[in-house]
Amino acid sequence: MFLNVHSSYSLKYGTQSIEQLISTARALGIHQMVLTDINNSTGAVEFVRECYRQSIAREADETHKGNIPYKLKPVVGIEFRFQHQLLYVGIARNKEGMRELNEFLSYHNIYNIPLPEFPPYFENAYVVYPFQKFFRRQLKENEFVGIGSKQLGILYNHPLLLQKNKLVVWHPVTVNNKLGYRLHEYLRAIDLNTLLSKVPENQKCEKSEFLIPENELTKQFEYYPFIVENTQKLLDSCDLSVYFERETQSKNKIHYTKTGIDGDKKMLRNLAFAGLKYRYGNYNDEVLQRLEKELRIIEFKNYCAYFLITFDIIRYAINKRGFYHVGRGSGANSLVAYCLRITDVDPIDLDLYFERFLHEKRTSPPDFDIDFSWDERETIQKYIFERYPKWHVAFLGTMSTFKNRAIIREIGKVLGLPKGEIDSFTDPTRERENLENTTFQKLLAVYQHMQNMPNQRSIHAGGILISEEPITYYTALDMPPKGFATVQWDMYEAEQIGYEKFDILSQRGLGHIREAVELIKKNKNLEIDIHDFKTFKSDAKLNGILKEGQPIGCFYIESPAMRQLLKKLRCDNYLTLVAASSIIRPGVASSGMMKAYIERYHEPDKVQYLCEVMKEQLEETYGVMVYQEDVIKVCHYFAGLDLADADVLRKAMSGKYRSKLAFDELVNKFFISARQQGHSEELITEVWRQISSFAGYSFSKAHSASFAVESYQSLYLKTYFPMEFMVAVLNNYGGFYSRWVYVHELQKTGARVHLPCVNHSDEVVNIHGTQAWLGFIGVQGLEEKNIKIIPEERRQNGSYLDLEDFVKRTCISLEQAIILIRLGALRFTGKDRKTLLWDVHNYLGFKQKQVNHAELFKLSYKNYTLPPLADSALENAYTELELLGYPLNYKMFDLLKTGYRGEVMAADLHLHVGKTVKMLGNYVCEKTVHTIKNTKMWFGTFLDVQGDFFDTTHFPNTTPVYPFKGKGCYLILGKVVEDFGFPSVEVLKFAKLDVQLSPLAID
């Protein structure tokens, strides 16, 4: 009887989750209801699945007790609204009806067309209009009018009685009780961005919109039994049971080739063996057996098309576009993926288990993570969307929820609280005081009901779905600003339905590598094979720099924490870097595993293994389980589980296994199987303790290996072509540090770095020989059109002759010209900045005189003889600080009032271990952490006057308040300590130093 039920997926409108709705319906003995969320079908399949799943469980239970089974039949549809006004409700008769409704909504979403007053005819879906007093429309075969019990009095003598077979029961469901209605009011106020007291009544649901027993609802229509009969007939004709699958079937594109499964198998085998020859040359039996095993599992799980589609994407990127990519994640455990060039990680070399990616018992689909450069990913995405038919490809969505204290701010706004009071409520330092405030208690009560409710739909970082059948069978599509059709549910629902996503991701590190290779070719006329990783990893010079821990600009290994770890490990090889990429992860580091690994790494002879099997499997990592693959190895070789069960257990311990009963069975199987191997109970218990304590925060070795390959590629470029590499880092942004750090690093390479110049600079940084010119991007206040016009005009028509020529050819405004002159971008004229500032007013004036770009005769302007104008280096430094964010030709140290530069330099710290020293450092970055006692401590990174990095630790007892006060130079008094050969300073006293006043400020 309930044809219009809203869940919390009716964003900022409905208040109940699907689970709550089903639970309430069961408690009330309701047998049928229709989920019709507003302008979306996010929860449709979930609703059907959960209703049938619970019905089967309930049926088995009731039958066992000898009772008549109770069932809740789910029906789904969509409520269509335009500008918050209800137009009509669509109800799917079957799967085809769901597709019709989804495609109707998708079409209007994608092309941004308002929903029509009346929808088209749906062959497999019903349309229900809300009852109106003057409703006179002749209804189509599939159209009905919903009438509420309170509207029955208007029905007397109404024209609709001539179509009485078209009247159905109308009892919308939005809330569960009075408290739910109040929550609904808050949601409406947030959605409409208005005060709670000003939400119009027509923008809220009725207070009676909650579930009631079916007999109570039908009683309200006892004098109009035909309305109840019409409603029941409509519901009985609907069947969405096809959406329930006892075992989820893959919904991805099933075939890649036109000849189907056999064609896919043949093509994948041919490509894999061709790739095997490319990767290994004359391969041995071990490699061949591994390939055959993987192909057998891939074929058994019917994932040939999944591999081939991914291969097609990679082939297009490499052959058609010349793009570089990185295949990472657990997909790098696959030899087939390595042979297809999806990944560059050799699973044989690293002893990676395919079962970590795919095995016969895996119930969730695998997925490849493919990284492209940040400015190339969209090209790949467009290729995929053009490669496959409409309605068969879409971006994966995400669902953000109301969470954290940010919602307190929203609630405060709708209550009309002043900004200052709202700010105080969201200030964590005033938490104790706030808890005693009655207004805050009210906000907190609302927050507790609202938290984790769906807030808004968005787009996944890179997941794309490619569907065998139209994806609109399962969801309507949105069109976010990125311009790609997007499903209305997230990756977790996608997995439940049976979709494996293709992760097309991006990162700046690949942009660094790509542009560096291009710059080297242009600047040095050298072709670099950046994929020659085997040469890179055995290069003694690269490994020596890695050991020193100074790879600034290099992907994943440039952060302070990673630099420290590399130096503590004295890392000088690929395998150690792979391990470092894993143990740097927060969970491993905080558990003490990182320290244990470093200790054992330096003294491997002192490592005591639990048994010979543990030594054989963990000798590479000195008895410490560093990777997820280590968990699989121990479960397999120590306990005797097959590799598939070992991975299932690994995944279960990471919190990704839903059935506690199945998990307990696996744990029991581990112990039984381990006893059968002849191990003692004490040994088994200890091994299990280590596995279970580590598995939850372990990291994939294949993922670490992918990162390490890219790190070596960056390190190779940084080592042998440092100037071009650092220019590439600057032009692609996205590094760990602020921009000025990379400019400083570029200067350290021997390059002469120039301020922007209209006759030499481009949009981005360029380099010719050893001369590097900063680009116009990054100049504060310079408009985008001028960033493009200035270099483009110069490239087309030659260098600018003087200020007048520049002004005429670019049609630049006075304000924009002043920015460039102040920064020295017109110094080619031979005039100082002050004189140019005077001259530019002569050309443009205060009233913005228009300069005719195409004048026939050159007009002369009156020349003035000016007195000498003061121009100081200090003033220019402050100008650069203002317009660039850093002074290029003036060190931050030179801005200080004091000439003191510290008594110890970073390069000599190792000579002062245990001593208290006084240092001067230019602030680079900081990191805040919480101690076990929940107090704060900080780690700082600085550069000394010689340009070398050093690191500081600020303990709570020596730093009672927040120590850092922004960028600048700090005087540091502290004790030098050393940890595994890495020196740092434990701060005792700390103060930011005063700087000289800017001459501009004095004026």
Side-chain angles (χ1 to χ4, degrees):
M1 294 297 114
F2 300 94
L3 303 183
N4 184 216
V5 178
H6 303 111
S7 76
S8 54
Y9 289 128
S10 289
L11 302 178
K12 301 183 185 77
Y13 194 91
T15 64
Q16 301 176 84
S17 68
I18 285 176
E19 183 182 354
Q20 289 173 310
L21 281 170
I22 295 173
S23 175
T24 303
R26 290 191 175 284
L28 295 172
I30 294 170
H31 292 81
Q32 295 168 313
M33 63 179 181
V34 188
L35 182 73
T36 54
D37 280 316
I38 298 170
N39 290 344
N40 78 84
S41 53
T42 303
V45 180
E46 178 187 350
F47 178 67
V48 174
R49 182 177 61 246
E50 291 306 311
C51 281
Y52 277 103
R53 183 179 290 169
Q54 292 189 31
S55 289
I56 289 172
R58 183 80 172 267
E59 182 177 0
D61 185 52
E62 293 299 320
T63 303
H64 177 72
K65 294 177 181 177
N67 300 327
I68 298 174
Y70 162 80
K71 294 182 180 180
L72 171 58
K73 177 183 176 180
V75 181
V76 293
I78 300 172
E79 179 179 307
F80 296 94
R81 291 195 176 210
F82 179 64
Q83 295 181 343
H84 302 292
Q85 297 301 314
L86 171 62
L87 299 176
Y88 34 80
V89 168
I91 299 174
R93 280 200 300 114
N94 48 37
K95 188 176 179 180
E96 288 298 327
M98 199 65 226
R99 180 186 59 78
E100 288 179 304
L101 295 175
N102 282 331
E103 288 183 5
F104 171 66
L105 178 59
S106 299
Y107 175 81
H108 290 84
N109 287 344
I110 290 171
Y111 298 104
N112 196 26
I113 299 172
L115 288 165
E117 184 180 359
F118 301 104
Y121 176 75
F122 300 122
E123 292 186 3
N124 295 281
Y126 300 114
V127 174
V128 181
Y129 297 99
F131 178 82
Q132 297 169 8
K133 188 174 182 181
F134 301 103
F135 196 101
R136 298 179 182 277
R137 186 167 181 267
Q138 184 63 38
L139 296 167
K140 298 175 186 176
E141 179 189 353
N142 70 323
E143 294 181 329
F144 295 84
V145 172
I147 184 167
S149 59
K150 293 180 181 179
Q151 298 168 317
L152 291 172
I154 308 172
L155 197 57
Y156 177 73
N157 242 356
H158 196 282
L160 272 174
L161 285 175
L162 299 174
Q163 304 180 71
K164 67 181 195 176
N165 64 323
K166 294 294 185 178
L167 289 170
V168 291
V169 173
W170 188 254
H171 182 90
V173 175
T174 303
V175 300
N176 55 344
N177 51 34
K178 289 182 179 179
L179 185 61
Y181 181 77
R182 190 59 174 163
L183 180 59
H184 166 78
E185 289 184 305
Y186 275 96
L187 292 171
R188 299 308 300 132
I190 292 171
D191 187 36
L192 298 170
N193 194 26
T194 189
L195 293 175
L196 187 65
S197 57
K198 291 189 175 182
V199 178
E201 287 300 314
N202 66 354
Q203 293 298 315
K204 298 187 285 188
C205 73
E206 296 289 334
K207 293 181 179 179
S208 60
E209 289 189 19
F210 52 85
L211 287 170
I212 59 177
E214 284 178 343
N215 59 355
E216 187 178 320
L217 180 59
T218 55
K219 188 176 181 180
Q220 296 174 2
F221 291 82
E222 60 183 334
Y223 297 112
Y224 299 88
F226 64 90
I227 296 178
V228 175
E229 290 171 9
N230 294 340
T231 309
Q232 191 62 54
K233 185 178 178 181
L234 184 155
L235 287 169
D236 289 344
S237 68
C238 297
D239 183 4
L240 281 300
S241 60
V242 67
Y243 283 108
F244 175 67
E245 298 173 333
R246 292 177 184 270
E247 291 186 8
T248 303
Q249 303 298 314
S250 175
K251 305 300 185 300
N252 275 46
K253 185 170 175 56
I254 297 173
H255 311 306
Y256 177 78
T257 63
K258 293 180 180 179
T259 50
I261 293 176
D262 291 338
D264 285 359
K265 288 180 180 179
K266 184 177 179 181
M267 183 177 182
L268 183 60
R269 279 187 163 272
N270 290 340
L271 289 170
F273 276 95
L276 198 67
K277 188 172 182 180
Y278 165 76
R279 291 293 195 184
Y280 295 99
N282 297 319
Y283 46 83
N284 56 34
D285 287 343
E286 178 195 0
V287 175
L288 185 61
Q289 289 172 11
R290 168 69 177 262
L291 188 70
E292 287 288 357
K293 182 187 79 168
E294 289 194 17
L295 287 170
R296 177 180 56 78
I297 295 173
I298 293 167
E299 292 170 1
F300 173 74
K301 298 294 287 185
N302 199 22
Y303 283 130
C304 289
Y306 184 70
F307 274 78
L308 290 171
I309 290 170
T310 308
F311 165 77
D312 177 71
I313 296 167
I314 299 304
R315 179 173 56 183
Y316 171 78
I318 296 173
N319 297 341
K320 297 291 182 65
R321 305 298 305 196
F323 291 170
Y324 175 47
H325 75 281
V326 167
R328 57 179 174 85
S330 60
N333 288 65
S334 168
L335 178 62
V336 173
Y338 181 56
C339 292
L340 268 56
R341 296 186 68 181
I342 294 170
T343 172
D344 281 327
V345 174
D346 185 345
I348 304 295
D349 182 42
L350 289 174
D351 192 27
L352 300 177
Y353 291 83
F354 180 62
E355 285 76 9
R356 171 63 187 84
F357 180 63
L358 184 64
H359 52 75
E360 296 96 327
K361 298 178 183 178
R362 178 162 180 158
T363 55
S364 62
D367 63 273
F368 287 112
D369 296 330
I370 312 295
D371 283 341
F372 292 92
S373 176
W374 63 277
D375 54 352
E376 294 174 347
R377 176 173 69 159
E378 190 172 328
T379 301
I380 300 298
Q381 293 167 341
K382 285 181 179 177
Y383 169 72
I384 297 171
F385 273 76
E386 291 168 1
R387 177 80 169 76
Y388 299 97
K390 180 183 179 182
W391 307 132
H392 289 256
V393 58
F395 252 102
L396 188 58
T398 61
M399 184 69 72
S400 66
T401 58
F402 289 111
K403 56 186 176 182
N404 302 328
R405 293 300 176 90
I407 190 57
I408 293 288
R409 188 172 294 278
E410 292 292 334
I411 299 169
K413 281 166 59 180
V414 302
L415 287 174
L417 300 179
K419 184 179 182 300
E421 188 174 5
I422 296 173
D423 289 342
S424 70
F425 288 157
T426 55
D427 183 354
T429 65
R430 302 182 62 177
E431 188 168 351
R432 185 175 297 178
E433 177 186 339
N434 287 335
L435 289 173
E436 298 174 359
N437 185 300
T438 54
T439 305
F440 179 75
Q441 290 173 1
K442 181 179 181 180
L443 265 69
L444 199 60
V446 179
Y447 160 79
Q448 288 170 345
H449 287 286
M450 198 178 292
Q451 65 177 335
N452 297 324
M453 284 183 64
N455 181 12
Q456 62 183 15
R457 296 190 302 276
S458 186
I459 187 169
H460 188 271
I464 296 177
L465 307 180
I466 303 174
S467 183
E468 175 68 20
E469 56 188 348
I471 209 165
T472 44
Y473 278 120
Y474 302 94
T475 176
L477 303 175
D478 291 325
M479 181 59 79
K482 283 193 175 184
F484 293 104
T486 304
V487 300
Q488 293 186 328
W489 25 249
D490 60 21
M491 60 184 289
Y492 303 104
E493 179 61 14
E495 185 177 311
Q496 288 289 318
I497 293 171
Y499 281 106
E500 309 98 43
K501 67 184 187 299
F502 295 83
D503 269 329
I504 308 300
L505 304 166
S506 69
Q507 50 156 289
R508 299 275 175 170
L510 290 176
H512 301 166
I513 293 171
R514 180 208 64 213
E515 184 165 348
V517 171
E518 292 170 355
L519 285 172
I520 292 163
K521 183 178 180 180
K522 181 180 178 182
N523 203 38
K524 289 189 164 55
N525 197 30
L526 290 174
E527 292 276 1
I528 301 297
D529 182 6
I530 199 61
H531 301 288
D532 188 14
F533 170 66
K534 289 182 178 178
T535 301
F536 299 163
K537 72 176 183 177
S538 59
D539 188 312
K541 190 173 181 181
L542 266 62
N543 287 321
I545 292 175
L546 195 64
K547 187 176 180 179
E548 288 301 310
Q550 294 296 328
I552 305 302
C554 296
F555 174 78
Y556 203 71
I557 55 175
E558 64 167 335
S559 70
M562 195 63 178
R563 289 189 297 104
Q564 290 178 35
L565 178 57
L566 293 175
K567 201 158 187 177
K568 290 175 182 179
L569 288 171
R570 295 195 281 280
C571 175
D572 62 357
N573 61 82
Y574 173 58
L575 285 178
T576 303
L577 180 58
V578 173
S581 299
S582 184
I583 62 175
I584 196 70
R585 306 292 291 183
V588 184
S590 62
S591 71
M593 288 285 193
M594 184 167 77
K595 184 178 180 181
Y597 181 87
I598 298 171
E599 289 173 345
R600 297 180 181 197
Y601 177 86
H602 289 300
E603 296 182 316
D605 295 339
K606 295 184 179 180
V607 178
Q608 294 183 350
Y609 296 92
L610 290 175
C611 64
E612 193 60 32
V613 176
M614 294 292 278
K615 181 180 181 181
E616 289 173 3
Q617 300 308 316
L618 298 179
E619 192 166 17
E620 179 190 323
T621 54
Y622 313 103
V624 178
M625 279 183 277
V626 171
Y627 312 110
Q628 292 174 348
E629 286 82 353
D630 291 335
V631 175
I632 298 172
K633 283 198 295 186
V634 171
C635 289
H636 177 61
Y637 289 102
F638 173 82
L641 297 180
D642 64 42
L643 288 170
D645 276 340
D647 184 63
V648 172
L649 188 56
R650 187 272 315 162
K651 187 175 182 181
M653 286 186 286
S654 67
K656 297 178 181 178
Y657 208 65
R658 298 190 177 185
S659 171
K660 186 178 183 305
L661 180 61
F663 174 63
D664 290 342
E665 288 178 359
L666 272 174
V667 175
N668 190 43
K669 189 174 182 179
F670 172 91
F671 277 87
I672 292 172
S673 182
R675 292 184 191 113
Q676 291 172 349
Q677 309 306 310
H679 302 307
S680 68
E681 200 68 26
E682 183 181 3
L683 176 60
I684 296 170
T685 302
E686 176 56 24
V687 171
W688 175 252
R689 185 195 66 78
Q690 291 190 15
I691 291 174
S692 57
S693 65
F694 172 71
Y697 50 72
S698 57
F699 196 50
S700 167
K701 185 178 183 181
H703 203 65
S704 295
S706 302
F707 281 171
V709 168
E710 190 175 344
S711 297
Y712 260 94
Q713 291 168 326
S714 296
L715 190 61
Y716 169 79
L717 294 169
K718 172 76 184 294
T719 302
Y720 290 104
F721 307 97
M723 294 182 191
E724 289 80 7
F725 179 73
M726 290 315 304
V727 169
V729 170
L730 283 164
N731 287 344
N732 286 273
Y733 294 82
F736 184 87
Y737 299 101
S738 300
R739 188 168 180 78
W740 72 266
V741 177
Y742 298 119
V743 172
H744 167 76
E745 198 71 14
L746 176 58
Q747 290 172 319
K748 284 175 64 177
T749 68
R752 186 179 176 194
V753 184
H754 300 274
L755 286 168
C757 172
V758 297
N759 269 345
H760 292 93
S761 294
D762 297 320
E763 294 92 329
V764 296
V765 183
N766 64 47
I767 185 167
H768 303 280
T770 60
Q771 307 297 308
W773 298 83
L774 295 180
F776 294 114
I777 291 176
V779 177
Q780 295 296 315
L782 192 62
E783 295 173 358
E784 186 176 352
K785 64 177 182 179
N786 290 319
I787 290 172
K788 294 179 179 178
I789 286 171
I790 294 168
E792 183 60 33
E793 167 63 24
R794 185 188 73 237
R795 285 190 286 263
Q796 288 185 7
N797 299 306
S799 298
Y800 300 106
L801 302 177
D802 51 29
L803 174 61
E804 180 183 345
D805 184 50
F806 172 74
V807 168
K808 288 179 179 179
R809 287 166 59 184
T810 60
C811 298
I812 197 167
S813 69
L814 177 63
E815 288 80 4
Q816 291 285 288
I818 287 173
I819 290 173
L820 292 170
I821 291 169
R822 290 182 62 214
L823 194 55
L826 282 94
R827 59 191 179 279
F828 76 93
T829 61
K831 296 182 179 182
D832 63 65
R833 305 181 195 198
K834 298 286 179 65
T835 302
L836 286 168
L837 286 172
W838 183 277
D839 287 348
V840 79
H841 283 88
N842 187 30
Y843 294 120
L844 295 175
F846 291 102
K847 294 185 178 180
Q848 294 288 291
K849 289 187 291 186
Q850 291 295 315
V851 179
N852 185 358
H853 184 274
E855 66 183 1
L856 294 175
F857 304 101
K858 183 175 180 180
L859 301 177
S860 60
Y861 291 87
K862 189 171 181 179
N863 291 318
Y864 296 91
T865 302
L866 299 174
L869 300 172
D871 191 14
S872 71
L874 182 62
E875 180 181 332
N876 292 338
Y878 270 102
T879 300
E880 292 169 20
L881 192 61
E882 174 193 343
L883 297 178
L884 291 178
Y886 55 90
L888 178 67
N889 299 315
Y890 212 74
K891 291 182 178 179
M892 288 294 290
F893 295 96
D894 296 332
L895 297 179
L896 296 174
K897 287 182 177 180
T898 177
Y900 182 73
R901 296 296 179 260
E903 63 185 34
V904 173
M905 296 296 110
D908 299 324
L909 270 180
H910 65 286
L911 302 174
H912 299 270
V913 176
K915 299 176 183 177
T916 299
V917 299
K918 193 182 290 184
M919 301 183 71
L920 205 61
N922 184 11
Y923 170 85
V924 175
C925 62
E926 71 195 66
K927 181 181 180 181
T928 307
V929 297
H930 286 82
T931 67
I932 297 174
K933 296 180 180 178
N934 203 31
T935 56
K936 288 183 181 179
M937 65 179 291
W938 295 265
F939 296 99
T941 299
F942 297 85
L943 282 172
D944 67 11
V945 71
Q946 294 179 348
D948 294 323
F949 284 90
F950 68 96
D951 297 272
T952 59
T953 305
H954 306 250
F955 289 108
N957 57 333
T958 58
T959 316
V961 293
Y962 181 71
F964 301 99
K965 293 179 172 61
K967 60 185 177 183
C969 295
Y970 291 77
L971 183 62
I972 303 162
L973 179 71
K975 181 182 178 182
V976 181
V977 296
E978 192 173 63
D979 189 21
F980 297 105
F982 180 83
S984 61
V985 180
E986 290 185 355
V987 175
L988 301 173
K989 290 185 179 180
F990 188 72
K992 187 176 180 181
L993 296 178
D994 293 332
V995 296
Q996 301 175 61
L997 285 176
S998 166
L1000 297 172
I1002 296 172
D1003 293 343

